[in-house]
Structure formats: structure tokens, C-alpha cells
Amino acid sequence: MSESKPTGEFGLIDWIRRSQSDEPRDDVILGIGDDCAIVDFSRESFALVTTDMLMDGRHFRLKDDGPEAVGYKAMGVNISDIAAMAGVPRFAVVAVALPRADAVAVAQGLHEGLKRMADRFDVVLVGGDTNAWDGPLVISVTLLGDTTPLGAAPRSGAQVGDVVFVTGPLGGSLFRGRHLRPEPRVDEALALAEAASPNAMIDLSDGLSSDLGHILEESGGLGAELDADAIPIHPDAVDQSQADGVSALDHALNDGEDFELCLAVAPERAEQLLASPPDGVQLYRVGVITEEPGLRLRTRDGRTSPVQPRGFDHLAGRNR
């Protein structure tokens, strides 16, 4: 006999609670069901905390994408933020404003997607808040992680002469729905931290032009010169270019939601990294950090031109 549909807020919370793994965790002292969760951060590390809010019509379309895909993405984008700090994701809390008309079914679908992504990275859902209203679906995930003995990799440590790398092809994430299927580079970030101690790192959620710009700004107003021929372009960006007439390179620079890593590595460590990259890690050398502020693109003929960041603007709800 199939399990009956949960009714009411507390019935739904109980269903979510019972959907968690029965296997006990020694780092979860108290999970779902109380005013607060209690988790153990007794490791010799610092806590990492990140949160992302996703809204129907802005970051996804519930009617077209379905709640499971939304939950999967909502958890994934937060795990990607922990990866960007070379950290280990551990615990999540989730707050949702559900559309009243189909609240329970949407919540169950969200949970399936959240859990599927969380299980991949050994993340435990330890609490949250659930509401229903007459508006569209809004979901906010807060993720807690911790640093390793290697320390965190912030945005703010880039230095002149550092080599800029990305971990995968870029652009066209919206064209075939890849923006709903993030692949957080947790293992890759940890391997890169051990192999090369990046001076700065960020995940590419808003677009290479914007996110590398964040590194430059946080590192004291530095600049970067990118090699146009070296930027890896995703096949989706090529296909989208054929459909909309915008160059595939522009898509690679500005589309966002690729969730690859962008990192700045000291020159001597960069050479070692290229000669012997960590197992399973793709690396593309795309440019260099410069003293002259601003982002520039160098073409095959040696000419350079300024690049204006045109990645996703969260207040405008569109690319700049």
C-alpha cells in the first residue's frame, strides 16, 4: 500500500523527517523537529556558511521544470559555493514559500531533488521552514560546511602574475537546461587546493566576465588579460550562437550558471599544475592577472580590447 499524502505543515515536516536516512550521524546531535538543529563542528576547522534564494520566474520555471529539478538545483548551487572555498559541505537548512494550490506535492518534489543532490555530497538536511501563500515558489537553502587543514580559498588573494584557470567549458547553460543540473566541483576544488594552493577561487555562477571581475575587485582592484582562443566554449554555447546570433565566445564569457571553478594560481605552481594536473580534474589556462585594472581580451593577432562584465545581475533578473 502506498504511503498516504501528508496533510498540513506538521504532517509535511514529519514526512520530510522520515524521508531522511535512518543511518545515525555522529556529527548531527539533533536534526529536524526542534527549534534549532544541533550539529558538531568540533573538527579543527572554520565553519563555512552560504545561502542562495531561488524564485519562480527568475531562476527557474516551476511549470516547465518541475519541483524535483528545482530542489536539485537549489541544493547544488549552494554546494558549489562551498566548493569555491575549497571546503567540505556538511549540513543544510531549507526555507520554502510554496504555492498554496499544490503545496504538498510541490514540497515532496522539492525534497526529492534536494535530497538527491545532498546525498551525492554527504550533506544532511537538518531543518528549515515551510510556508504556503498565493504567490510563486520561493526556495532558500542555507548550507554549512567547514574548511580543511589546507584552509579556505577566498576571492581576495589574487596577485599580479597569477595564472587564471577554469575547470570546464563555458556558456549556453540555459539553452538545453544545463543550468538546472549543476555539477559542484567539490572534489576538484579539494584536489586543486592540495596540488596548487590557489591564491583565489570562485565558482562561475554569474559568468566568467562577472565572477573573475569579483576576484579582481576583492584582490585590491587588479586586472586580468584573457586569451580569447584559450577560453573553453561549451557545445551548448555554439548551438545557442547559431540560434540567436550572439557569438559563442560572448556566451562563454557572460552566460553564467556553468558552476565551474575559476582560480588564480602563482606562476611556478601553475606550471607544475599544467604538467601534472590532479586525477580527474580538467584545467584550461585562460589568462593572467595584471597590475593594470580592468578585464581585457587578447585576440589571436595580439590586439587587446576591454571586456565589460555582462554576467547575471540578481537585482535586474537578467544579464547586464
Side-chain angles (χ1 to χ4, degrees), residues 26 33 41 91 135 138 146 167 186 201 228-229 235 288 310 316-317:
D26 59 9
F41 272 106
F91 313 107
V138 179
D146 53 16
T167 57
V186 174
M201 192 154 64
D229 288 340
V288 64
R310 290 189 286 115

Side-chain angles (χ1 to χ4, degrees), residues 93 116 227 244 258:
V93 293
R116 185 158 55 90
D227 182 348
D244 64 15
D258 294 299

Side-chain angles (χ1 to χ4, degrees), residues 150-169:
L150 297 169
R155 303 175 179 183
S156 56
Q159 299 179 27
V160 174
D162 282 356
V163 176
V164 181
F165 292 96
V166 297
T167 57

Side-chain angles (χ1 to χ4, degrees), residues 95-146:
V96 292
L98 300 163
R100 196 184 309 278
D102 205 13
V104 171
V106 170
Q108 289 181 297
L110 285 173
H111 179 72
E112 291 303 314
L114 288 161
K115 189 173 186 301
R116 185 158 55 90
M117 173 60 81
D119 286 349
R120 288 182 54 194
F121 293 93
D122 201 27
V123 171
V124 184
L125 178 62
V126 295
D129 190 30
T130 304
N131 291 279
W133 70 325
D134 294 324
L137 174 63
V138 179
I139 177 170
S140 178
V141 176
T142 299
L143 194 63
L144 308 175
D146 53 16

Side-chain angles (χ1 to χ4, degrees), residues 60-254:
F60 59 86
R61 299 189 183 279
L62 179 61
K63 184 178 179 181
D64 298 329
D65 302 330
E68 185 171 345
V70 174
Y72 191 80
K73 176 179 181 176
M75 184 65 73
V77 300
N78 281 274
I79 293 175
S80 184
D81 282 338
I82 298 291
M85 300 293 289
V88 178
R90 295 181 65 187
F91 313 107
V93 293
V94 179
V96 292
L98 300 163
R100 196 184 309 278
D102 205 13
V104 171
V106 170
Q108 289 181 297
L110 285 173
H111 179 72
E112 291 303 314
L114 288 161
K115 189 173 186 301
R116 185 158 55 90
M117 173 60 81
D119 286 349
R120 288 182 54 194
F121 293 93
D122 201 27
V123 171
V124 184
L125 178 62
V126 295
D129 190 30
T130 304
N131 291 279
W133 70 325
D134 294 324
L137 174 63
V138 179
I139 177 170
S140 178
V141 176
T142 299
L143 194 63
L144 308 175
D146 53 16
T147 59
T148 73
L150 297 169
R155 303 175 179 183
S156 56
Q159 299 179 27
V160 174
D162 282 356
V163 176
V164 181
F165 292 96
V166 297
T167 57
L170 310 175
S173 63
L174 285 168
F175 194 63
R176 291 193 174 91
R178 187 163 40 89
H179 68 296
L180 296 168
R181 304 184 298 274
E183 289 291 332
R185 301 304 187 190
V186 174
D187 293 340
E188 292 86 343
L190 294 173
L192 288 165
E194 184 172 1
S197 299
N199 288 330
M201 192 154 64
I202 193 170
D203 71 323
L204 296 177
S205 55
D206 297 334
L208 178 59
S209 65
S210 286
D211 290 321
L212 178 55
H214 296 325
I215 286 180
L216 302 178
E217 181 179 358
E218 294 298 324
S219 298
L222 298 177
E225 184 173 287
L226 298 176
D227 182 348
D229 288 340
I231 295 172
I233 297 174
H234 198 283
D236 289 348
V238 176
D239 293 343
Q240 186 167 356
S241 175
Q242 293 171 351
D244 64 15
V246 176
S247 76
L249 179 59
D250 277 351
H251 282 299
L253 286 169
N254 302 311

